Amino acid sequence: MLKRKTKKLTNISIIFAMVISLILPMQQASADNVISVSEAIANNSGTATVEGYIVGIVKSTNNYQFEGTFTTATNLALADSADERDPKKILPVQLKNGTDARAALNLYDHPENLGKKIRIAGTLKAYFSVPGHQESTSFSFVDAAPPEPQVEEVSSSVEGQVISKGTQVTLSTATPDAAIYYTVDGSNPTADSTLYTAPITINEDITIKAIAVKEGLKNSSIAEFKYQVALSGLRIHDIQGAGHNSPVANKVVEGVEGIVTKVVDDRNFYMQDLQPDNNSNTSEGILVYQPNHGQTEGNVVSVNGQVKEWVLEGYSDKLKTDLAMTEINAQYGSISILEEQHVLPSALVIGMFGLQPPTKVIDNDKFTEFDPQEDGIDFYESLEGMLVEINNPAVIAPQKYGELVVLPDRGEYSRLNSAGGLNITEFDYNPERIFVDMGDEDFVAKSGDYFEGAITGVVSYGFSNYKVLTDVEDLPAFVEGNTEREITRIHEKHKELTIASFNVENFSANEEGRDGTSDEKAERIAVSIVHNLNAPDIVGLVEMQDGNGPTNDGTTDAKESADRLIAEITVQGGPEYVYTDIAPVDGEDGGIPGGNIRVGFIYNPERVSLVEGTKGTATEAVGYENGKLTLNPGRIDPMNPAFEDSRKPVAAQFEFNGEDVIVVANHFNSKGGDQPLFGKNQPPVLGSEVQRKEIAAIVNGFVKDVKEEDKNAKVVLLGDFNDFEFTDSLEILKGNELTNMIEKVPFNERYTYSYQGNAQVLDHILVTNNMAKKTKVDIVHINSQFMEEHGRASDHDPVLIQVKLDKVK
């Protein structure tokens, strides 16, 4: 609601201003004992009459305002020169409330006093922590006439506010027989403007400016009254419109009717129109905000308030990235209950025999065209705030944050992967995914599970996604599907080398706290390596933390963390692996502060040996000469600025059955900061991709160097590359030298990670082209589509290859 910003004088102030010319002779400051401002500052004690120029006001200690609209009547700034700006030469002068000095001298009411010379008597003592003047007893203007008596400001019978159409406004002034002139076009009124003779009828948004004029008196200051006329007769679909923003955004509406369909909390509820239109592009639901609204589902209400486009819950950058919800802010309006316990409207079915969400396109026109039939982002906008029904939903990702990602009709009309999830492709990020926010973070569900019956809720938006709001107790019968954690089909063979890539999700020797590694997690990772991966000969480990994990004390060595993992592996029946890595410079590689995550290797010394060589340091760059790495292990170009705040790749040369292979462990910079798929910027800006491309080029360059030195060299790249197999980053990484074995995996098995219901590949193993035909690959699905309750050990699935190294030429 708009508030009038002009100030009205109190009755006492009015009296003082009207008779100031009569009072001033009685308030003359004595000419005796008159001192300058500089003298008052130098000897700031006792009483004195100070003479000086009004140069502004004091805002805070040594902070003065010298021009513009003055914001306080409590003080003046006095100086010996009218153009003085040096705080050391300015005297703060107190103007106590209720005194004649404040009424006549303050710049808030009398900006015309700026630059005038005055004498003011009072006590010299500190004010605003510097030499000052307080408790004035008298004052006078020097070589200047007293302020001219002025007509009292115009007032309105209706303070500036939201009003109904047809409201009449009466203008008046306290000065008898004064004429009032006004404008409505934004210009300042004069005596030539429209003469006020009768109440003004307001039928549209308007600003009235008015002055009062009387012969013999100075014209009043300009009064301003802003009025916003509430729109009436609108239905919810009129407010929503066919688009992402309301056609009446920031307008005030009155008498908007709907039935309460979902109470979110004591401040927010959704309501839906009981008189829908025939336009499927306009939503019939809307969010209403009013603290302590007291509404319950089934109430039919009438709402007055301002239409806003409001960004709801989200990440810290939500105002830059997220879509807004259309709401009626009734905080300064009203809500009237017309009926109680009314039957809710039927929910719109999404899926079979109902609305079909787009399955390919999120947005392809940068919001220039509203097309719910083609663009997923428009489809869900057209349902914003409405009751919807999802029949027999299939769960396509593990529960997270109290949300489930589902598809209607058991996902029968989607191309589900082997776990019952939904893979992304280069041109399809699955707009048909539906987020169900049921609020229970303890609910256990994985990909492949489903519900028998319908989930009903209201379409909302938050944390960069549209979602259906419901309550866990209202979910239909839950059925656990057949998805099970896998065991690799690759088995140890005497003449074939097995190499795995495994993101172990911030593994450390520290067992405590949210970012520590519990005994249960350590055991699950060990079991995964021994049982599910069949104890590979070499495991490239990603996200190994230093020995004390997130404790930020300068520790970088990971020996304790590695020892813990190796010990647990042996307990589970695995080999006694050997660990190698290169500790990073403290705090330079990103990740959890203090954790110093890095890549490293464990290898089975009974089958594999690390080729003899000098271990590199965090800042040394590895090369390749005479068939060997110059450092073993060694970091690839670690001082290159492309690796800022990210992990540096580590290359290690191993020997297996008389054959050498170079394995490079990688953990490219994360996708943090990339804009969301269902955000306000289309297409989303992928800011993190720039760095990954630079890193990819550096790693590919290393492989080039090796191959130029030895065309028969065998090189394996593994790790968490934080990008998909079809992206520019992976194409740059492959170059003409490498084959990405992930591309050899059948499409329905091609996923290592789940993000917001999208199954995707972030973890890859690439081999030089000469190895590709002799290499088998398996993504072992044990984590990404499961919760910890199902045995999940990490958030990534490991990737495993087996290569006939002696057959590679």
PDB file of all heavy atoms in Angstrom, residues 296-300 337-342:
ATOM      1  N   THR A 296      -8.500 -22.293   5.892  1.00  0.00           N
ATOM      2  CA  THR A 296      -8.458 -23.751   5.801  1.00  0.00           C
ATOM      3  C   THR A 296      -8.947 -24.158   4.416  1.00  0.00           C
ATOM      4  O   THR A 296      -9.676 -23.415   3.746  1.00  0.00           O
ATOM      5  CB  THR A 296      -9.348 -24.415   6.871  1.00  0.00           C
ATOM      6  OG1 THR A 296     -10.704 -23.945   6.711  1.00  0.00           O
ATOM      7  CG2 THR A 296      -8.856 -24.071   8.269  1.00  0.00           C
ATOM      8  N   GLU A 297      -8.518 -25.349   3.991  1.00  0.00           N
ATOM      9  CA  GLU A 297      -8.944 -25.846   2.688  1.00  0.00           C
ATOM     10  C   GLU A 297     -10.468 -25.948   2.632  1.00  0.00           C
ATOM     11  O   GLU A 297     -11.111 -26.370   3.584  1.00  0.00           O
ATOM     12  CB  GLU A 297      -8.306 -27.201   2.409  1.00  0.00           C
ATOM     13  CG  GLU A 297      -6.807 -27.122   2.207  1.00  0.00           C
ATOM     14  CD  GLU A 297      -6.171 -28.474   1.939  1.00  0.00           C
ATOM     15  OE1 GLU A 297      -6.936 -29.443   1.717  1.00  0.00           O
ATOM     16  OE2 GLU A 297      -4.934 -28.578   1.967  1.00  0.00           O
ATOM     17  N   GLY A 298     -11.019 -25.547   1.506  1.00  0.00           N
ATOM     18  CA  GLY A 298     -12.468 -25.567   1.328  1.00  0.00           C
ATOM     19  C   GLY A 298     -13.121 -24.228   1.555  1.00  0.00           C
ATOM     20  O   GLY A 298     -14.291 -24.047   1.202  1.00  0.00           O
ATOM     21  N   ASN A 299     -12.383 -23.264   2.123  1.00  0.00           N
ATOM     22  CA  ASN A 299     -12.942 -21.917   2.266  1.00  0.00           C
ATOM     23  C   ASN A 299     -13.009 -21.245   0.892  1.00  0.00           C
ATOM     24  O   ASN A 299     -12.025 -21.234   0.146  1.00  0.00           O
ATOM     25  CB  ASN A 299     -12.074 -21.044   3.178  1.00  0.00           C
ATOM     26  CG  ASN A 299     -12.257 -21.369   4.643  1.00  0.00           C
ATOM     27  OD1 ASN A 299     -13.068 -22.232   5.003  1.00  0.00           O
ATOM     28  ND2 ASN A 299     -11.520 -20.690   5.495  1.00  0.00           N
ATOM     29  N   VAL A 300     -14.170 -20.680   0.582  1.00  0.00           N
ATOM     30  CA  VAL A 300     -14.295 -19.823  -0.594  1.00  0.00           C
ATOM     31  C   VAL A 300     -14.086 -18.392  -0.104  1.00  0.00           C
ATOM     32  O   VAL A 300     -14.776 -17.939   0.818  1.00  0.00           O
ATOM     33  CB  VAL A 300     -15.658 -19.970  -1.280  1.00  0.00           C
ATOM     34  CG1 VAL A 300     -15.754 -19.053  -2.493  1.00  0.00           C
ATOM     35  CG2 VAL A 300     -15.884 -21.421  -1.693  1.00  0.00           C
ATOM     36  N   ILE A 337     -14.171 -14.412   3.979  1.00  0.00           N
ATOM     37  CA  ILE A 337     -14.665 -15.775   3.759  1.00  0.00           C
ATOM     38  C   ILE A 337     -16.111 -15.700   3.280  1.00  0.00           C
ATOM     39  O   ILE A 337     -16.979 -15.146   3.968  1.00  0.00           O
ATOM     40  CB  ILE A 337     -14.562 -16.607   5.046  1.00  0.00           C
ATOM     41  CG1 ILE A 337     -13.094 -16.726   5.481  1.00  0.00           C
ATOM     42  CG2 ILE A 337     -15.162 -17.991   4.832  1.00  0.00           C
ATOM     43  CD1 ILE A 337     -12.896 -17.462   6.793  1.00  0.00           C
ATOM     44  N   LEU A 338     -16.365 -16.259   2.094  1.00  0.00           N
ATOM     45  CA  LEU A 338     -17.709 -16.249   1.527  1.00  0.00           C
ATOM     46  C   LEU A 338     -18.461 -17.530   1.846  1.00  0.00           C
ATOM     47  O   LEU A 338     -19.697 -17.531   1.921  1.00  0.00           O
ATOM     48  CB  LEU A 338     -17.630 -16.064   0.004  1.00  0.00           C
ATOM     49  CG  LEU A 338     -16.825 -14.847  -0.494  1.00  0.00           C
ATOM     50  CD1 LEU A 338     -16.831 -14.816  -2.018  1.00  0.00           C
ATOM     51  CD2 LEU A 338     -17.393 -13.560   0.075  1.00  0.00           C
ATOM     52  N   GLU A 339     -17.702 -18.630   1.997  1.00  0.00           N
ATOM     53  CA  GLU A 339     -18.327 -19.933   2.246  1.00  0.00           C
ATOM     54  C   GLU A 339     -17.268 -20.841   2.852  1.00  0.00           C
ATOM     55  O   GLU A 339     -16.074 -20.696   2.571  1.00  0.00           O
ATOM     56  CB  GLU A 339     -18.854 -20.518   0.932  1.00  0.00           C
ATOM     57  CG  GLU A 339     -19.620 -21.815   1.082  1.00  0.00           C
ATOM     58  CD  GLU A 339     -20.105 -22.365  -0.262  1.00  0.00           C
ATOM     59  OE1 GLU A 339     -20.052 -21.621  -1.268  1.00  0.00           O
ATOM     60  OE2 GLU A 339     -20.503 -23.550  -0.288  1.00  0.00           O
ATOM     61  N   GLU A 340     -17.696 -21.805   3.653  1.00  0.00           N
ATOM     62  CA  GLU A 340     -16.767 -22.750   4.252  1.00  0.00           C
ATOM     63  C   GLU A 340     -17.114 -24.174   3.831  1.00  0.00           C
ATOM     64  O   GLU A 340     -18.262 -24.467   3.462  1.00  0.00           O
ATOM     65  CB  GLU A 340     -16.801 -22.648   5.787  1.00  0.00           C
ATOM     66  CG  GLU A 340     -16.311 -21.301   6.314  1.00  0.00           C
ATOM     67  CD  GLU A 340     -16.341 -21.231   7.833  1.00  0.00           C
ATOM     68  OE1 GLU A 340     -17.068 -22.043   8.442  1.00  0.00           O
ATOM     69  OE2 GLU A 340     -15.649 -20.361   8.407  1.00  0.00           O
ATOM     70  N   GLN A 341     -16.103 -25.048   3.868  1.00  0.00           N
ATOM     71  CA  GLN A 341     -16.261 -26.477   3.589  1.00  0.00           C
ATOM     72  C   GLN A 341     -16.870 -26.763   2.212  1.00  0.00           C
ATOM     73  O   GLN A 341     -17.648 -27.686   2.031  1.00  0.00           O
ATOM     74  CB  GLN A 341     -17.100 -27.142   4.685  1.00  0.00           C
ATOM     75  CG  GLN A 341     -16.448 -27.054   6.051  1.00  0.00           C
ATOM     76  CD  GLN A 341     -17.253 -27.741   7.144  1.00  0.00           C
ATOM     77  OE1 GLN A 341     -18.435 -27.996   6.975  1.00  0.00           O
ATOM     78  NE2 GLN A 341     -16.607 -28.047   8.248  1.00  0.00           N
ATOM     79  N   HIS A 342     -16.463 -25.959   1.254  1.00  0.00           N
ATOM     80  CA  HIS A 342     -16.902 -26.193  -0.122  1.00  0.00           C
ATOM     81  C   HIS A 342     -16.083 -27.336  -0.718  1.00  0.00           C
ATOM     82  O   HIS A 342     -14.912 -27.520  -0.392  1.00  0.00           O
ATOM     83  CB  HIS A 342     -16.714 -24.923  -0.948  1.00  0.00           C
ATOM     84  CG  HIS A 342     -17.418 -24.939  -2.271  1.00  0.00           C
ATOM     85  ND1 HIS A 342     -16.968 -25.659  -3.359  1.00  0.00           N
ATOM     86  CD2 HIS A 342     -18.550 -24.296  -2.691  1.00  0.00           C
ATOM     87  CE1 HIS A 342     -17.770 -25.461  -4.377  1.00  0.00           C
ATOM     88  NE2 HIS A 342     -18.749 -24.651  -4.012  1.00  0.00           N
TER      89      HIS A 342
END
